[in-house]
Amino acid sequence: KVTIHHLLTHTGGTGDIFGPDFEAHRKQLRALDDYVKLYGKRGLEFEPGTRWAYSNYGFILLGVVIEQVTGQSYYDYVQAHIHAPAGMTRSGSLPEHRPVPDRSIGYTKPPGATAWAPNNDTLPYRGTSAGGGYSTVGDLGRFAHALLSHKLLNPNSTKRLITGKMNTGPGVKYAYGFEDARDANGNGWVGHGGGAPGMNGDLKIYLKSGVAVAVLANIDPPAAQRISEYLDPRLPTQP
């Protein structure tokens, strides 16, 4: 019953991946197929297309679709079709035990804690199609430029990618892996944020002015998003 459109817009009812099962199997979940083996037999949370609910598992499934269609691993496909054309030389999803130059350590302070501590005990084996990769603000800027200059997708596909389809809150719609916070005059941004213990990032692309804001932090949310939200009303609205 679940379509690619449902998965891309978080309307498939496919649920999350975090919780007791993830904690129990965190280090054994090494490939996308491992997530499917763990979560793939559970039922849907709601009838596909009837409502919106953020689903990390839905984006795991999208990564599996890429692997099935292309015959490549999700990671190789992203490297060849996104990172390389965009010039993103410092982005990836290598496993946590693999050395990556200048990859920062995340620091978290759980509720009630008095000191910051490394987030190592919360990390998955590696990032997935649902998130968890690493990048730099420079590479995120290169991604924004590559997207807007159609190095990644043609103009029609780019428009389809970033145009909001499902209402998720006041002034915000969800597109295909992007949030669309533009008004009827095109003012506002498209992009996405993300976070977990000890890490937070946000990318906002202002199509009308051509400005992109990329913020990364190696502490708990909403450290990065607090900065992008502060900048939002202070940015120019024209080129």
Side-chain angles (χ1 to χ4, degrees), residues 77-170:
Y77 186 85
V78 168
Q79 174 59 33
H81 294 274
I82 298 177
H83 293 163
M88 300 170 68
T89 60
R90 304 186 69 192
S91 303
S93 295
L94 287 176
E96 291 295 328
H97 70 275
R98 294 274 297 274
V100 176
D102 300 324
R103 180 166 59 182
S104 63
I105 296 171
Y107 291 91
T108 184
K109 186 189 288 186
T114 58
W116 293 92
N119 66 348
N120 304 66
D121 291 339
T122 70
L123 298 174
Y125 174 75
R126 70 187 304 182
T128 68
S129 49
Y134 48 84
S135 190
T136 66
V137 291
D139 268 9
L140 291 177
R142 293 180 186 95
F143 170 77
H145 177 73
L147 184 69
L148 299 186
S149 59
H150 308 301
K151 291 182 179 179
L152 305 180
L153 293 169
N154 65 41
N156 287 337
S157 293
T158 301
K159 182 178 180 180
R160 188 177 183 188
L161 178 80
I162 63 177
T163 300
K165 294 152 180 66
M166 296 293 299
N167 289 313
T168 60

Side-chain angles (χ1 to χ4, degrees), residues 69-81:
V69 171
T70 67
Q72 293 180 274
S73 76
Y74 163 77
Y75 305 100
D76 289 345
Y77 186 85
V78 168
Q79 174 59 33
H81 294 274

Side-chain angles (χ1 to χ4, degrees), residues 13-233:
T14 43
D16 208 341
I17 57 175
F18 298 113
D21 285 340
F22 178 81
E23 295 301 326
H25 299 278
R26 178 170 59 89
K27 293 183 179 180
Q28 289 77 48
L29 295 168
R30 299 193 167 202
L32 300 186
D33 281 346
D34 294 331
Y35 288 84
V36 176
K37 291 173 184 175
L38 181 61
Y39 299 108
K41 293 182 180 179
R42 63 186 180 182
L44 292 171
E45 292 186 348
F46 53 83
E47 186 70 15
T50 59
R51 63 185 179 93
W52 185 89
Y54 200 93
S55 173
N56 284 296
Y57 185 59
F59 269 69
I60 293 284
L61 293 175
L62 287 166
V64 174
V65 170
I66 288 173
E67 293 185 335
Q68 292 290 322
V69 171
T70 67
Q72 293 180 274
S73 76
Y74 163 77
Y75 305 100
D76 289 345
Y77 186 85
V78 168
Q79 174 59 33
H81 294 274
I82 298 177
H83 293 163
M88 300 170 68
T89 60
R90 304 186 69 192
S91 303
S93 295
L94 287 176
E96 291 295 328
H97 70 275
R98 294 274 297 274
V100 176
D102 300 324
R103 180 166 59 182
S104 63
I105 296 171
Y107 291 91
T108 184
K109 186 189 288 186
T114 58
W116 293 92
N119 66 348
N120 304 66
D121 291 339
T122 70
L123 298 174
Y125 174 75
R126 70 187 304 182
T128 68
S129 49
Y134 48 84
S135 190
T136 66
V137 291
D139 268 9
L140 291 177
R142 293 180 186 95
F143 170 77
H145 177 73
L147 184 69
L148 299 186
S149 59
H150 308 301
K151 291 182 179 179
L152 305 180
L153 293 169
N154 65 41
N156 287 337
S157 293
T158 301
K159 182 178 180 180
R160 188 177 183 188
L161 178 80
I162 63 177
T163 300
K165 294 152 180 66
M166 296 293 299
N167 289 313
T168 60
V172 181
K173 291 184 176 182
Y174 207 88
Y176 285 163
F178 280 76
E179 290 180 307
D180 182 356
R182 293 174 291 172
D183 63 21
N185 296 316
N187 298 310
W189 54 267
V190 299
H192 211 291
M199 64 186 84
N200 189 208
D202 201 18
L203 175 65
K204 286 181 166 61
I205 305 170
Y206 296 81
L207 301 181
K208 207 167 183 179
S209 66
V211 171
V213 173
V215 189
L216 294 173
N218 64 331
I219 56 176
D220 295 333
Q225 286 155 306
R226 188 180 292 126
I227 294 173
S228 61
E229 289 169 2
Y230 173 83
L231 291 173
D232 179 70

